[in-house]
Amino acid sequence: MSRETILNALLVAGLVALPLGAHLAGEPFTVTLATRAVILALAAVGLNIALGLGGLVSLGHAAFFGVGGYAMGILASHAQSYVPLMEAPFLIEGTKSMPVIWLVAVVASALAALLIGMLSLRTSGVYFIMITLAFGQMLYYFAIGWAPYGGEDGLPIYVRNGFPGLNTLVPIQFYALCLVVLLLALALHAVIARSPFGLALDAARQVPERVRAVGLNPTRLKLAAFTLSGAITGLSGALFADLNRFVSPTMLSWQMSGEIMVLVILGGTGRLFGPVVGAAVFVALDHHLGGLTEFWQVWLGVILLAVVLFARGGLIGLIAGERRTDA
Amino acid sequence: MSPILIAEQVLNGLQFGVMLFLMAAGLTLIFGVMGLINLAHGSLYMVGAFAAAAVAGLTGSFLLALIAALAAAAIAGALVEIVVIRRLYARDHLDQVLATFALILIFSEGTRWIFGSFPLFLDIPGWLSGPVTLPGGIAYPLYRLVLIGAGLAVAAGLGLLISRTRIGIQIRAGENDREMIAALGVDISKLYTIVFALGAALAGLAGALVGAIQSVQVAMGEPVLILAFVVIVIGGIGSIRGALVGALLVGLTDTLGGIFLPELFKLFLDPATATAVGASLASMAIYILMGAVLIWRPTGLFGAPA
């Protein structure tokens, strides 16, 4: 076993043990903090598929995070007001059921990612960064102007949505649900990285000409990765909205895109558990430094600058050493 | 809809466009010469606006405020280049994005620390306020007219600087072949600092000029930064002319779209729906324009073909 494998196993054990301990000690707030970290990690796992595997520097992933959030908000708000979404040509009603909401969030954000990806992938490099950022901003302004669903004020949901067999109002149960989703997404990432698709994608990131020479279309590979990436980030958006019982345009803001990217890099780009480490550190910093000073983001900026300039493999790189090039 | 209203809106669009140009020109120059994507360019815009507001508050002089904005942004730019940015030229775009994102956090929160969360105000000086009457009976604020003039003058000056001066020759040479001009004895790292400070000064100037018609507040730069990115994508990276054309297109599309799209939809929808649909489409208009340019010409209107 490599050091990274041992580290990953320890991380999973920690994800199970720490919140469980907090629950038994009667500290539901800590459980909620951990839930926040797990959901943000899921968003970053989504981005890590585009960024780490596909080499696509997307600064617009808040778009998919927000689409997932609004999918939840719209469905749940119609369910709580008993007004159907539409009546003709056929009846669509709102819902408070998480599995249905998740499905809608995944499909909607995948579609958004497909459309944005199709346009953005006509370019590459620095154009790609600017264009994804711009499309994210487009959805942000759209949400601000979207009066029926709260506009700038956002959309509160009064009761958390339900999952069959669970009481999602109990923090530890909701945490467990989010953790299972995160672990499934990590497993998916690991499977994809080893699959023929993942290998071809890796090749398309490094030498697109060769991929083209063996008869594969690198743009299509990247588009598939971008769409999948957007879908996973969209799912995390639905969970995030459920955690806060609130959706607002802030979920779509460019700062959110930046933060999701920071989570990936802080942990280690392309590392399977990079997003988990990044999100855990980010939430811990937010909580502890945020309690000490109102201006904690100055220090976040300094830490981030130090990581970029001096610790290029992220935190996992610091602990587990450089990434094996054959992985 | 009267011709006077249309003329006013076209002028508003031009004014917005030339201010975007000041931002986009610096960004595109920095990208063209150093190959660097700088997210912190919006912070330099903010630095300019805050410096101007602070100096105007102390001295009451608008001209001194503008000089302070230029100087503060140029010095901040040069410092940032020397301390952080020059370590990033050899890195990939991802590292550049993250490091400059970190700079945004430091600049924004640092400014909040020093000046507090409340917006500052920068007044239009007496000799530039009030309306002027243009041919055709259009009453238009003098200050906005001055902004258009100042922006176009800077554009012309920048064009002359690049095409006619020694430093312009070095900048153009740096875009083409940085090893060669280093071999010819040009101090390349000094040139990079100068270009970065020049871009920063343009951003600071834009921040100060716009600060007088909007409020001066933390994070005022980032929405403008993203619009400047749209301008660059439309105009083509590295092209000053592209930045000017792109900026005017974006400025006019945004301003005119906000006025005319709701009117257009009123022709076939009821007024309330038309206003709602028109307003949300108008907020997306420039991005739709960007998408159209991308489909038609992925490297922008004036960009070199890939």
PDB file of all heavy atoms in Angstrom, chain B residues 102-124:
ATOM      1  N   ALA B 102      -6.206  34.225  -4.959  1.00  0.00           N
ATOM      2  CA  ALA B 102      -5.743  34.485  -3.591  1.00  0.00           C
ATOM      3  C   ALA B 102      -5.475  35.978  -3.406  1.00  0.00           C
ATOM      4  O   ALA B 102      -5.797  36.553  -2.368  1.00  0.00           O
ATOM      5  CB  ALA B 102      -4.479  33.681  -3.304  1.00  0.00           C
ATOM      6  N   LEU B 103      -4.911  36.616  -4.450  1.00  0.00           N
ATOM      7  CA  LEU B 103      -4.652  38.062  -4.367  1.00  0.00           C
ATOM      8  C   LEU B 103      -5.951  38.852  -4.213  1.00  0.00           C
ATOM      9  O   LEU B 103      -6.006  39.837  -3.478  1.00  0.00           O
ATOM     10  CB  LEU B 103      -3.900  38.535  -5.607  1.00  0.00           C
ATOM     11  CG  LEU B 103      -2.427  38.139  -5.678  1.00  0.00           C
ATOM     12  CD1 LEU B 103      -1.837  38.567  -7.019  1.00  0.00           C
ATOM     13  CD2 LEU B 103      -1.648  38.784  -4.543  1.00  0.00           C
ATOM     14  N   ILE B 104      -7.015  38.395  -4.916  1.00  0.00           N
ATOM     15  CA  ILE B 104      -8.315  39.074  -4.769  1.00  0.00           C
ATOM     16  C   ILE B 104      -8.758  39.026  -3.316  1.00  0.00           C
ATOM     17  O   ILE B 104      -9.188  40.035  -2.745  1.00  0.00           O
ATOM     18  CB  ILE B 104      -9.399  38.398  -5.628  1.00  0.00           C
ATOM     19  CG1 ILE B 104      -9.105  38.573  -7.101  1.00  0.00           C
ATOM     20  CG2 ILE B 104     -10.770  38.995  -5.314  1.00  0.00           C
ATOM     21  CD1 ILE B 104     -10.175  37.965  -7.984  1.00  0.00           C
ATOM     22  N   LEU B 105      -8.656  37.835  -2.691  1.00  0.00           N
ATOM     23  CA  LEU B 105      -9.072  37.701  -1.294  1.00  0.00           C
ATOM     24  C   LEU B 105      -8.283  38.668  -0.419  1.00  0.00           C
ATOM     25  O   LEU B 105      -8.840  39.371   0.425  1.00  0.00           O
ATOM     26  CB  LEU B 105      -8.852  36.266  -0.802  1.00  0.00           C
ATOM     27  CG  LEU B 105      -9.695  35.178  -1.454  1.00  0.00           C
ATOM     28  CD1 LEU B 105      -9.337  33.822  -0.874  1.00  0.00           C
ATOM     29  CD2 LEU B 105     -11.170  35.460  -1.250  1.00  0.00           C
ATOM     30  N   ILE B 106      -6.962  38.713  -0.648  1.00  0.00           N
ATOM     31  CA  ILE B 106      -6.113  39.569   0.184  1.00  0.00           C
ATOM     32  C   ILE B 106      -6.455  41.043  -0.036  1.00  0.00           C
ATOM     33  O   ILE B 106      -6.648  41.796   0.920  1.00  0.00           O
ATOM     34  CB  ILE B 106      -4.621  39.292  -0.126  1.00  0.00           C
ATOM     35  CG1 ILE B 106      -4.285  37.855   0.284  1.00  0.00           C
ATOM     36  CG2 ILE B 106      -3.729  40.279   0.588  1.00  0.00           C
ATOM     37  CD1 ILE B 106      -2.921  37.383  -0.168  1.00  0.00           C
ATOM     38  N   PHE B 107      -6.586  41.456  -1.304  1.00  0.00           N
ATOM     39  CA  PHE B 107      -6.910  42.847  -1.603  1.00  0.00           C
ATOM     40  C   PHE B 107      -8.281  43.239  -1.049  1.00  0.00           C
ATOM     41  O   PHE B 107      -8.434  44.269  -0.406  1.00  0.00           O
ATOM     42  CB  PHE B 107      -6.902  43.085  -3.119  1.00  0.00           C
ATOM     43  CG  PHE B 107      -5.578  43.561  -3.646  1.00  0.00           C
ATOM     44  CD1 PHE B 107      -4.784  42.732  -4.421  1.00  0.00           C
ATOM     45  CD2 PHE B 107      -5.145  44.842  -3.369  1.00  0.00           C
ATOM     46  CE1 PHE B 107      -3.568  43.173  -4.907  1.00  0.00           C
ATOM     47  CE2 PHE B 107      -3.934  45.292  -3.861  1.00  0.00           C
ATOM     48  CZ  PHE B 107      -3.136  44.453  -4.628  1.00  0.00           C
ATOM     49  N   SER B 108      -9.296  42.395  -1.309  1.00  0.00           N
ATOM     50  CA  SER B 108     -10.660  42.768  -0.927  1.00  0.00           C
ATOM     51  C   SER B 108     -10.787  42.855   0.580  1.00  0.00           C
ATOM     52  O   SER B 108     -11.283  43.848   1.125  1.00  0.00           O
ATOM     53  CB  SER B 108     -11.670  41.747  -1.464  1.00  0.00           C
ATOM     54  OG  SER B 108     -11.726  41.826  -2.852  1.00  0.00           O
ATOM     55  N   GLU B 109     -10.340  41.797   1.271  1.00  0.00           N
ATOM     56  CA  GLU B 109     -10.506  41.796   2.719  1.00  0.00           C
ATOM     57  C   GLU B 109      -9.589  42.828   3.358  1.00  0.00           C
ATOM     58  O   GLU B 109      -9.938  43.441   4.354  1.00  0.00           O
ATOM     59  CB  GLU B 109     -10.246  40.403   3.278  1.00  0.00           C
ATOM     60  CG  GLU B 109     -11.278  39.374   2.826  1.00  0.00           C
ATOM     61  CD  GLU B 109     -12.697  39.757   3.226  1.00  0.00           C
ATOM     62  OE1 GLU B 109     -12.934  40.026   4.423  1.00  0.00           O
ATOM     63  OE2 GLU B 109     -13.565  39.792   2.340  1.00  0.00           O
ATOM     64  N   GLY B 110      -8.395  43.021   2.766  1.00  0.00           N
ATOM     65  CA  GLY B 110      -7.488  44.044   3.288  1.00  0.00           C
ATOM     66  C   GLY B 110      -8.109  45.427   3.179  1.00  0.00           C
ATOM     67  O   GLY B 110      -8.027  46.241   4.103  1.00  0.00           O
ATOM     68  N   THR B 111      -8.768  45.699   2.040  1.00  0.00           N
ATOM     69  CA  THR B 111      -9.415  47.001   1.868  1.00  0.00           C
ATOM     70  C   THR B 111     -10.563  47.167   2.862  1.00  0.00           C
ATOM     71  O   THR B 111     -10.765  48.234   3.433  1.00  0.00           O
ATOM     72  CB  THR B 111      -9.949  47.128   0.433  1.00  0.00           C
ATOM     73  OG1 THR B 111      -8.896  46.816  -0.458  1.00  0.00           O
ATOM     74  CG2 THR B 111     -10.440  48.526   0.155  1.00  0.00           C
ATOM     75  N   ARG B 112     -11.319  46.069   3.075  1.00  0.00           N
ATOM     76  CA  ARG B 112     -12.404  46.124   4.056  1.00  0.00           C
ATOM     77  C   ARG B 112     -11.841  46.432   5.449  1.00  0.00           C
ATOM     78  O   ARG B 112     -12.428  47.167   6.229  1.00  0.00           O
ATOM     79  CB  ARG B 112     -13.142  44.775   4.070  1.00  0.00           C
ATOM     80  CG  ARG B 112     -14.611  44.899   4.505  1.00  0.00           C
ATOM     81  CD  ARG B 112     -15.208  43.551   4.793  1.00  0.00           C
ATOM     82  NE  ARG B 112     -15.194  42.628   3.677  1.00  0.00           N
ATOM     83  CZ  ARG B 112     -16.076  42.641   2.696  1.00  0.00           C
ATOM     84  NH1 ARG B 112     -17.052  43.515   2.707  1.00  0.00           N
ATOM     85  NH2 ARG B 112     -16.005  41.755   1.718  1.00  0.00           N
ATOM     86  N   TRP B 113     -10.683  45.846   5.730  1.00  0.00           N
ATOM     87  CA  TRP B 113     -10.014  46.045   7.008  1.00  0.00           C
ATOM     88  C   TRP B 113      -9.691  47.523   7.212  1.00  0.00           C
ATOM     89  O   TRP B 113      -9.947  48.116   8.249  1.00  0.00           O
ATOM     90  CB  TRP B 113      -8.715  45.217   7.008  1.00  0.00           C
ATOM     91  CG  TRP B 113      -8.292  44.739   8.355  1.00  0.00           C
ATOM     92  CD1 TRP B 113      -8.612  45.268   9.563  1.00  0.00           C
ATOM     93  CD2 TRP B 113      -7.456  43.598   8.605  1.00  0.00           C
ATOM     94  NE1 TRP B 113      -8.027  44.533  10.550  1.00  0.00           N
ATOM     95  CE2 TRP B 113      -7.311  43.511   9.999  1.00  0.00           C
ATOM     96  CE3 TRP B 113      -6.806  42.672   7.791  1.00  0.00           C
ATOM     97  CZ2 TRP B 113      -6.545  42.516  10.597  1.00  0.00           C
ATOM     98  CZ3 TRP B 113      -6.046  41.688   8.385  1.00  0.00           C
ATOM     99  CH2 TRP B 113      -5.930  41.604   9.767  1.00  0.00           C
ATOM    100  N   ILE B 114      -9.112  48.139   6.147  1.00  0.00           N
ATOM    101  CA  ILE B 114      -8.655  49.527   6.268  1.00  0.00           C
ATOM    102  C   ILE B 114      -9.815  50.520   6.216  1.00  0.00           C
ATOM    103  O   ILE B 114      -9.904  51.432   7.027  1.00  0.00           O
ATOM    104  CB  ILE B 114      -7.636  49.849   5.152  1.00  0.00           C
ATOM    105  CG1 ILE B 114      -6.422  48.927   5.283  1.00  0.00           C
ATOM    106  CG2 ILE B 114      -7.213  51.305   5.206  1.00  0.00           C
ATOM    107  CD1 ILE B 114      -5.488  48.999   4.099  1.00  0.00           C
ATOM    108  N   PHE B 115     -10.719  50.315   5.235  1.00  0.00           N
ATOM    109  CA  PHE B 115     -11.743  51.345   4.984  1.00  0.00           C
ATOM    110  C   PHE B 115     -13.109  50.997   5.558  1.00  0.00           C
ATOM    111  O   PHE B 115     -14.026  51.801   5.501  1.00  0.00           O
ATOM    112  CB  PHE B 115     -11.882  51.584   3.478  1.00  0.00           C
ATOM    113  CG  PHE B 115     -10.712  52.310   2.866  1.00  0.00           C
ATOM    114  CD1 PHE B 115      -9.668  51.609   2.279  1.00  0.00           C
ATOM    115  CD2 PHE B 115     -10.656  53.700   2.881  1.00  0.00           C
ATOM    116  CE1 PHE B 115      -8.589  52.278   1.721  1.00  0.00           C
ATOM    117  CE2 PHE B 115      -9.587  54.365   2.321  1.00  0.00           C
ATOM    118  CZ  PHE B 115      -8.547  53.659   1.744  1.00  0.00           C
ATOM    119  N   GLY B 116     -13.280  49.768   6.061  1.00  0.00           N
ATOM    120  CA  GLY B 116     -14.591  49.373   6.562  1.00  0.00           C
ATOM    121  C   GLY B 116     -15.505  48.905   5.442  1.00  0.00           C
ATOM    122  O   GLY B 116     -15.163  49.002   4.263  1.00  0.00           O
ATOM    123  N   SER B 117     -16.691  48.398   5.812  1.00  0.00           N
ATOM    124  CA  SER B 117     -17.580  47.791   4.825  1.00  0.00           C
ATOM    125  C   SER B 117     -18.465  48.807   4.121  1.00  0.00           C
ATOM    126  O   SER B 117     -19.105  48.478   3.135  1.00  0.00           O
ATOM    127  CB  SER B 117     -18.473  46.751   5.493  1.00  0.00           C
ATOM    128  OG  SER B 117     -17.678  45.736   6.032  1.00  0.00           O
ATOM    129  N   PHE B 118     -18.528  50.047   4.652  1.00  0.00           N
ATOM    130  CA  PHE B 118     -19.447  50.999   4.042  1.00  0.00           C
ATOM    131  C   PHE B 118     -18.843  51.603   2.788  1.00  0.00           C
ATOM    132  O   PHE B 118     -17.647  51.877   2.745  1.00  0.00           O
ATOM    133  CB  PHE B 118     -19.797  52.106   5.031  1.00  0.00           C
ATOM    134  CG  PHE B 118     -20.579  51.604   6.202  1.00  0.00           C
ATOM    135  CD1 PHE B 118     -19.979  51.414   7.428  1.00  0.00           C
ATOM    136  CD2 PHE B 118     -21.918  51.265   6.042  1.00  0.00           C
ATOM    137  CE1 PHE B 118     -20.701  50.922   8.500  1.00  0.00           C
ATOM    138  CE2 PHE B 118     -22.645  50.755   7.105  1.00  0.00           C
ATOM    139  CZ  PHE B 118     -22.032  50.585   8.344  1.00  0.00           C
ATOM    140  N   PRO B 119     -19.660  51.808   1.761  1.00  0.00           N
ATOM    141  CA  PRO B 119     -19.132  52.405   0.535  1.00  0.00           C
ATOM    142  C   PRO B 119     -18.682  53.848   0.768  1.00  0.00           C
ATOM    143  O   PRO B 119     -19.231  54.543   1.626  1.00  0.00           O
ATOM    144  CB  PRO B 119     -20.314  52.346  -0.443  1.00  0.00           C
ATOM    145  CG  PRO B 119     -21.494  51.976   0.341  1.00  0.00           C
ATOM    146  CD  PRO B 119     -21.062  51.415   1.636  1.00  0.00           C
ATOM    147  N   LEU B 120     -17.662  54.265   0.023  1.00  0.00           N
ATOM    148  CA  LEU B 120     -17.232  55.662   0.047  1.00  0.00           C
ATOM    149  C   LEU B 120     -17.858  56.369  -1.153  1.00  0.00           C
ATOM    150  O   LEU B 120     -18.323  55.729  -2.094  1.00  0.00           O
ATOM    151  CB  LEU B 120     -15.707  55.755  -0.069  1.00  0.00           C
ATOM    152  CG  LEU B 120     -14.868  55.053   0.986  1.00  0.00           C
ATOM    153  CD1 LEU B 120     -13.401  55.285   0.697  1.00  0.00           C
ATOM    154  CD2 LEU B 120     -15.215  55.541   2.367  1.00  0.00           C
ATOM    155  N   PHE B 121     -17.850  57.696  -1.098  1.00  0.00           N
ATOM    156  CA  PHE B 121     -18.385  58.420  -2.241  1.00  0.00           C
ATOM    157  C   PHE B 121     -17.346  59.381  -2.779  1.00  0.00           C
ATOM    158  O   PHE B 121     -16.594  59.994  -2.029  1.00  0.00           O
ATOM    159  CB  PHE B 121     -19.672  59.150  -1.863  1.00  0.00           C
ATOM    160  CG  PHE B 121     -20.764  58.181  -1.559  1.00  0.00           C
ATOM    161  CD1 PHE B 121     -21.032  57.798  -0.259  1.00  0.00           C
ATOM    162  CD2 PHE B 121     -21.479  57.585  -2.589  1.00  0.00           C
ATOM    163  CE1 PHE B 121     -22.008  56.857   0.027  1.00  0.00           C
ATOM    164  CE2 PHE B 121     -22.451  56.647  -2.313  1.00  0.00           C
ATOM    165  CZ  PHE B 121     -22.724  56.280  -1.014  1.00  0.00           C
ATOM    166  N   LEU B 122     -17.325  59.451  -4.080  1.00  0.00           N
ATOM    167  CA  LEU B 122     -16.391  60.330  -4.770  1.00  0.00           C
ATOM    168  C   LEU B 122     -17.271  61.259  -5.595  1.00  0.00           C
ATOM    169  O   LEU B 122     -18.053  60.781  -6.416  1.00  0.00           O
ATOM    170  CB  LEU B 122     -15.480  59.477  -5.656  1.00  0.00           C
ATOM    171  CG  LEU B 122     -14.452  60.162  -6.524  1.00  0.00           C
ATOM    172  CD1 LEU B 122     -13.472  60.937  -5.663  1.00  0.00           C
ATOM    173  CD2 LEU B 122     -13.686  59.131  -7.336  1.00  0.00           C
ATOM    174  N   ASP B 123     -17.184  62.570  -5.322  1.00  0.00           N
ATOM    175  CA  ASP B 123     -18.098  63.489  -6.012  1.00  0.00           C
ATOM    176  C   ASP B 123     -17.525  63.947  -7.340  1.00  0.00           C
ATOM    177  O   ASP B 123     -16.319  64.121  -7.476  1.00  0.00           O
ATOM    178  CB  ASP B 123     -18.380  64.706  -5.121  1.00  0.00           C
ATOM    179  CG  ASP B 123     -19.218  64.306  -3.930  1.00  0.00           C
ATOM    180  OD1 ASP B 123     -20.074  63.417  -4.101  1.00  0.00           O
ATOM    181  OD2 ASP B 123     -18.987  64.854  -2.834  1.00  0.00           O
ATOM    182  N   ILE B 124     -18.433  64.158  -8.276  1.00  0.00           N
ATOM    183  CA  ILE B 124     -18.034  64.775  -9.541  1.00  0.00           C
ATOM    184  C   ILE B 124     -17.708  66.231  -9.234  1.00  0.00           C
ATOM    185  O   ILE B 124     -18.472  66.907  -8.554  1.00  0.00           O
ATOM    186  CB  ILE B 124     -19.191  64.695 -10.552  1.00  0.00           C
ATOM    187  CG1 ILE B 124     -19.548  63.232 -10.824  1.00  0.00           C
ATOM    188  CG2 ILE B 124     -18.839  65.408 -11.831  1.00  0.00           C
ATOM    189  CD1 ILE B 124     -20.794  63.057 -11.647  1.00  0.00           C
TER     190      ILE B 124
END
